[in-house]
Each structure stands twice: as structure tokens, then as C-alpha cells.
Amino acid sequence: DSGVTQTPKHLITATGQRVTLRCSPRSGDLSVYWYQQSLDQGLQFLIQYYNGEERAKGNILERFSAQQFPDLHSELNLSSLELGDSALYFCASSVAGDYYNEQFFGPGTRLTVL
Amino acid sequence: QQPVQSPQAVILREGEDAVINCSSSKALYSVHWYRQKHGEAPVFLMILLKGGEQKGHEKISASFNEKKQQSSLYLTASQLSYSGTYFCGSVNLNAGGTSYGKLTFGQGTILTVHP
């Protein structure tokens, strides 16, 4: 158990819908990352937050948005869902947000878009 | 651009050794190694930093060649529990001069250990 929690564990929804994934980092960690894992794209970085501020951005779609709240939990919002958005979404956290910090992954949310 | 891992797959008997390589086309600040079992989260194994520092599990060893922009993970006396997919993640220098923690992952190496 990494100490990172994610809810829900599974999510099944229809195309065109909007969903919110939630992540709580390990106690003491200030930085949160979101990753998407699919069979064809592999494990891809989406976005990073540090103490409430966006720090780094990957190839995150405009239909996706995220934020980190004052209590440091983070939410990833996915809207106008398409079949291709079906994937495992992982949240990770680290003490700070630098290249020398280990990142610890949560158990993931499996999103299925029908 | 994602780092390239080799080999794509390895099959071992318990007790045998394996080396997994990770190569980047861009300058590396750090390399992170993870193991993922099917349907589970990636588990942190080791981080290797520019300058030579390493942090990680005592039973795992790895190397980092800054000049060649390569890292290798050494798995010795393999156990059944070593089976899984191994990923390297690289942190590269960004255009703006910052690196932060953006990890770009390789495609993974599937390791299978048989009794």
C-alpha cells in the first residue's frame, strides 16, 4: 500500500458524459501527478500539481482538466467522454515536485466508456 | 519522446539473472524504475540521479550512464515475485530549463519467472 488513495476504483459511463476522479496523496506529500495507462498508448503523463499550483503539463486533452485543493487532494475531470478515453487513470504523489523525488502511485481508477 | 526499453520481454527460471536497459534520446536528469503487476499500480523500485546518487530498494541494483543517456536495471537471483512489467521513466530537461517531476515512460519490459 503506497498511501495514495483513489476513488472510485471502477467507473462505467457512456460516451458524451462527464466524470470526476479523486486522489488523496500520501501524508506529507505536496505534489500530485496524473497518468493515463492504455494498451495502445502505454503509461502517459497528464499533469502535475505542487501545493495547489499547476507545475507541468503533458499531452492532456482540452476535454480534461484537473485541480489540487488546499487540503492537497486532487481531482481529474474528464468531459465529453469518448470510447478512446477508456483506460486506467493513476494518481501519484511525491514529497516535493522535482526530478529527484520518488513518485508513489495509487491503485488507479479503471474507466470504461461504453 | 519516450525512452526505449530493451528487451521487450524476458523469460527466466528462478535463480537466473536479467538486465533491462533504458535509453533516451534526450539529456536525462533522472531515471525512475517501476514494476507493475497486471491490473495493479506501478511500484517504485529505484531512482537514479544525474551526478550519481541512487535511492531505492537494497536488493535492486541499477546503473546510470549520463553520457550515453542510458540506464540499466539488474535483477539477480530472480524470484517468482519478480514477474511483472518493468518500466523506466525519464525526467528530461524541458525547453524552459525546468525539469520538475514529469516522467516519460518507456514501453515496458515483460519479465516472467518460472519455477
Side-chain angles (χ1 to χ4, degrees), chain A residues 33 35 37 43 45 48 55 57 90 97-103 105-107, chain B residues 29-30 32 34 36 40-42 44 47 49 55 91 99-103 105:
Chain A
Y33 312 76
Y35 292 90
Q37 187 173 37
L43 196 52
F45 170 83
Q48 176 193 2
R55 181 163 264 199
K57 213 166 184 176
F90 288 108
D98 291 301
Y99 69 91
Y100 48 83
N101 297 129
E102 307 97 303
Q103 297 180 27
F105 281 69
Chain B
Y29 265 61
S30 62
H32 303 226
Y34 288 83
Q36 184 180 29
E40 299 181 6
F44 171 77
I47 181 172
L49 306 176
K55 293 189 280 185
V91 178
S99 54
Y100 298 135
K102 176 184 173 181
L103 277 176
F105 283 97

Side-chain angles (χ1 to χ4, degrees), chain A residues 34-51:
Chain A
W34 286 97
Y35 292 90
Q36 179 193 56
Q37 187 173 37
S38 61
L39 281 174
D40 55 342
Q41 296 288 329
L43 196 52
Q44 298 235 314
F45 170 83
L46 294 177
I47 199 163
Q48 176 193 2
Y49 282 85
Y50 174 75
N51 207 18

Side-chain angles (χ1 to χ4, degrees), chain B:
Chain B
Q1 192 157 357
Q2 69 176 162
V4 176
Q5 290 184 230
S6 63
Q8 287 189 321
V10 186
I11 300 175
L12 300 174
R13 294 259 177 224
E14 267 187 299
E16 291 181 339
D17 303 337
V19 180
I20 301 173
N21 301 302
C22 176
S23 182
S24 174
S25 60
K26 296 173 71 173
L28 293 168
Y29 265 61
S30 62
V31 176
H32 303 226
W33 286 96
Y34 288 83
R35 177 172 59 221
Q36 184 180 29
K37 295 189 183 278
H38 184 68
E40 299 181 6
V43 174
F44 171 77
L45 295 176
M46 174 161 281
I47 181 172
L48 300 107
L49 306 176
K50 188 176 161 70
E53 187 180 349
Q54 297 185 3
K55 293 189 280 185
H57 289 251
E58 292 176 2
K59 294 187 177 180
I60 302 282
S61 65
S63 64
F64 181 20
N65 187 322
E66 290 177 44
K67 282 188 178 177
K68 291 187 177 180
Q69 296 166 185
Q70 292 175 346
S71 177
S72 295
L73 186 71
Y74 304 98
L75 302 167
T76 56
S78 59
Q79 304 171 15
L80 294 176
S81 61
Y82 287 12
S83 292
T85 302
Y86 288 76
F87 291 97
C88 70
S90 64
V91 178
N92 305 106
L93 182 65
N94 290 335
T98 57
S99 54
Y100 298 135
K102 176 184 173 181
L103 277 176
T104 303
F105 283 97
Q107 79 280 18
T109 295
I110 300 171
L111 179 77
T112 305
V113 181
H114 290 296

Side-chain angles (χ1 to χ4, degrees), chain A residues 44-105:
Chain A
Q44 298 235 314
F45 170 83
L46 294 177
I47 199 163
Q48 176 193 2
Y49 282 85
Y50 174 75
N51 207 18
E53 299 290 325
E54 182 183 306
R55 181 163 264 199
K57 213 166 184 176
N59 294 328
I60 186 168
L61 299 171
E62 284 192 14
R63 301 184 285 109
F64 296 2
S65 65
Q67 55 183 325
Q68 185 180 27
F69 295 87
D71 68 352
L72 301 176
H73 91 272
S74 178
E75 291 181 359
L76 178 67
N77 298 296
L78 315 175
S79 61
S80 302
L81 285 167
E82 302 175 359
L83 295 177
D85 297 328
S86 295
L88 255 177
Y89 291 85
F90 288 108
C91 166
S93 73
S94 65
V95 170
D98 291 301
Y99 69 91
Y100 48 83
N101 297 129
E102 307 97 303
Q103 297 180 27
F104 296 92
F105 281 69

